[in-house]
Amino acid sequence: MQTRTLGKTGYQVSEIGLGCWQLGGDFGPLAGETAETILAAAADKQITFWDTADVYGGGLSEMRIGSFQRKPAGLHVATKVGRAPSLYPDRYSKQGVRESLLNSAARLGVETIDLAQLHCVPPEVLRDGDIFTWLDDLQSEGLIRHYGASVETIEEAFLCLQQPQLASLQIIFNLFRQDAAERLLCAAQEKDVGIIVRLPLASGLLSGKFNRDTRFAASDHRHFNRDGAAFSVGETFGGIPFEQGVELTEGLRDLLPKNVDMAPLALRWILDHEAVSTVIAGASSPAQIDSNVGAASLPPLDPALHDRLACYYIDRVKPHIRGEI
C-alpha cells in the first residue's frame, strides 16, 4: 500500500484508510467477530489510517479498535469529538471537550490521541474560534498530538483553514461532489493541511450496485436520512435524491472504462488529486477491504476522462444536490 503525508502531522498514512463507523453498529450492528475480521483484513492490507468517533455506537467503535491486538505497524487512529449530546449543538466548553477526549483515549487504550477532529460542529462554533484555542491547550497538555476538523461544507472548511495549527480537514469529495477541487484542495495544500476524504462512494451510489428497487434497513441512514430528516442531507447520497442518484450512476457508466468495477474507479478519481492524503472507505466485509485497496494500484485516470467527468458533474449532477455544498 502506498502512503502519503497527512499535512503538518508528518504521519505517513495509507492512501486508502478505514472508516470505522460501522464498527459501532449505528446503522445496523456488526457482530464482534465480523468487526474483528474487518480490522484484521485492514491490518493485513497495511491500511494504516483508521477513522472513528466517540459517538459511533456510543464508543463501541473506539473500544473495538482499542482492544484489537493485531494493529499494523505505523497505524494512526483518528477520532472525532463534538457530536455527543453533552456538547452538541450548544453546550461546548473546554472541560466538556477535554472529558470527551479523555474518554476516547481510554477506550482506544492510549494516553495521547494521534489526531482529534471536530465532528461537524455548528458553523457558529467554528466562527467563534474558542474551540480551537481549547484544542491548542489540549495539544500542549499532551492529550492530543494533532487536531483537525470534519466539516459538511466548503464554507466551514475555509473557516477551519484560518487556524494555524489545523493539521487536517475531513471533507465530502467524490464524483458526485466535486466542488472542493476548485479552490479548497489548493488552499489546504498551501497551509500544509492534510485532506481526508469521506463518503467516497456517495453512500454506496458509486458502487454501481443499486437500482430503484434497492431497499435499506430502517436503522440505515440511507433509509431514515435520505431527505435529511436526522442530520445534514449531504451526508446521505451526497444530498442527491436516491432515485435520481441511481439514474445519474447509470449515466456515469457510459463515461468510464468497461473492464473495471465502478467503485475502484471512483476511488482512483479521488486519489488522482494530489492534495488528498487518504480516502476513508467503510467496509462490512473483508472482500470490501480488498476492493477498496485495489483502487490504489490502478493507474491514474486519463486527463481527458477527468475533463468529461467534471462536465458530467456540472451539467448533470450538481443541479440535483440538496443542501449547502
Side-chain angles (χ1 to χ4, degrees):
M1 172 75 73
Q2 295 187 18
T3 63
R4 300 185 182 187
T5 304
L6 182 61
K8 60 176 64 75
T9 69
Y11 298 156
Q12 294 300 305
V13 296
S14 55
E15 290 183 328
I16 300 296
L18 179 67
C20 296
W21 59 265
Q22 76 279 10
L23 301 185
D26 292 329
F27 310 127
L30 283 178
E33 182 177 343
T34 303
E36 186 88 1
T37 62
I38 289 171
L39 292 178
D44 290 343
K45 294 295 183 179
Q46 289 300 300
I47 294 177
T48 58
F49 184 81
W50 298 359
D51 175 86
T52 186
D54 57 352
V55 293
Y56 293 166
L60 178 59
S61 175
E62 290 178 324
M63 286 190 288
R64 283 176 163 173
I65 291 170
S67 63
F68 182 68
Q69 298 299 308
R70 292 180 47 212
K71 296 181 177 72
L75 175 66
H76 295 288
V77 176
T79 194
K80 296 189 283 292
V81 61
R83 295 289 288 202
S86 59
L87 297 173
Y88 183 84
D90 57 4
R91 301 183 184 90
Y92 295 96
S93 68
K94 182 177 180 178
Q95 185 57 30
V97 171
R98 176 189 279 113
E99 289 177 0
S100 289
L101 289 171
L102 282 169
N103 290 335
S104 288
R107 288 189 289 266
L108 291 169
V110 299
E111 293 185 0
T112 302
I113 294 170
D114 288 339
L115 176 67
Q117 305 163 96
L118 297 178
H119 194 178
C120 299
V121 303
E124 55 268 24
V125 175
L126 300 177
R127 289 191 190 95
D128 174 77
D130 283 350
I131 199 165
F132 293 104
T133 302
W134 305 338
L135 291 173
D136 286 332
D137 291 344
L138 296 175
Q139 186 178 30
S140 298
E141 293 172 14
L143 178 55
I144 59 177
R145 288 193 177 88
H146 301 280
Y147 66 81
S150 178
V151 297
E152 292 176 340
T153 69
I154 289 176
E155 178 187 2
E156 292 168 3
F158 276 107
L159 286 173
C160 295
L161 283 178
Q162 297 174 16
Q163 303 299 322
Q165 295 304 312
L166 189 84
S168 67
L169 274 174
Q170 186 176 137
I171 64 170
I172 302 171
F173 185 54
N174 57 55
L175 282 169
F176 283 174
R177 186 66 78 91
Q178 298 186 23
D179 301 78
E182 185 176 345
R183 292 189 301 124
L184 179 60
L185 297 188
C186 288
Q189 270 189 308
E190 290 173 0
K191 293 180 177 291
D192 197 18
V193 171
I195 293 291
I196 303 164
V197 172
R198 75 176 187 278
L199 295 177
L201 299 181
S203 304
L205 274 178
L206 292 168
S207 71
K209 297 178 180 179
F210 299 159
N211 58 51
R212 285 177 171 268
D213 296 325
T214 301
R215 296 292 180 265
F216 303 97
S219 59
D220 191 318
H221 74 107
R222 293 172 293 187
H223 172 80
F224 68 77
N225 195 61
R226 65 169 56 197
D227 295 314
F231 42 84
S232 171
V233 69
E235 299 285 349
T236 303
F237 304 125
I240 301 170
F242 176 69
E243 292 77 9
Q244 187 67 54
V246 171
E247 181 179 324
L248 291 168
T249 302
E250 288 303 311
L252 194 61
R253 290 184 190 276
D254 296 334
L255 301 178
L256 296 174
K258 309 302 181 187
N259 58 341
V260 182
D261 290 341
M262 183 177 289
L265 284 173
L267 296 177
R268 181 66 253 178
W269 178 87
I270 298 170
L271 291 173
D272 283 353
H273 296 80
E274 64 176 14
V276 171
S277 298
T278 188
V279 180
I280 50 172
S284 58
S285 69
Q288 281 187 294
I289 296 280
D290 291 341
S291 175
N292 295 339
V293 168
S297 61
L298 293 176
L301 303 184
D302 186 271
L305 176 55
H306 272 278
D307 290 342
R308 291 195 295 273
L309 292 170
C311 289
Y312 185 81
Y313 172 71
I314 293 169
D315 296 338
R316 297 283 307 279
V317 178
K318 191 170 181 178
H320 298 287
I321 295 176
R322 299 167 296 176
E324 187 177 352
I325 295 175

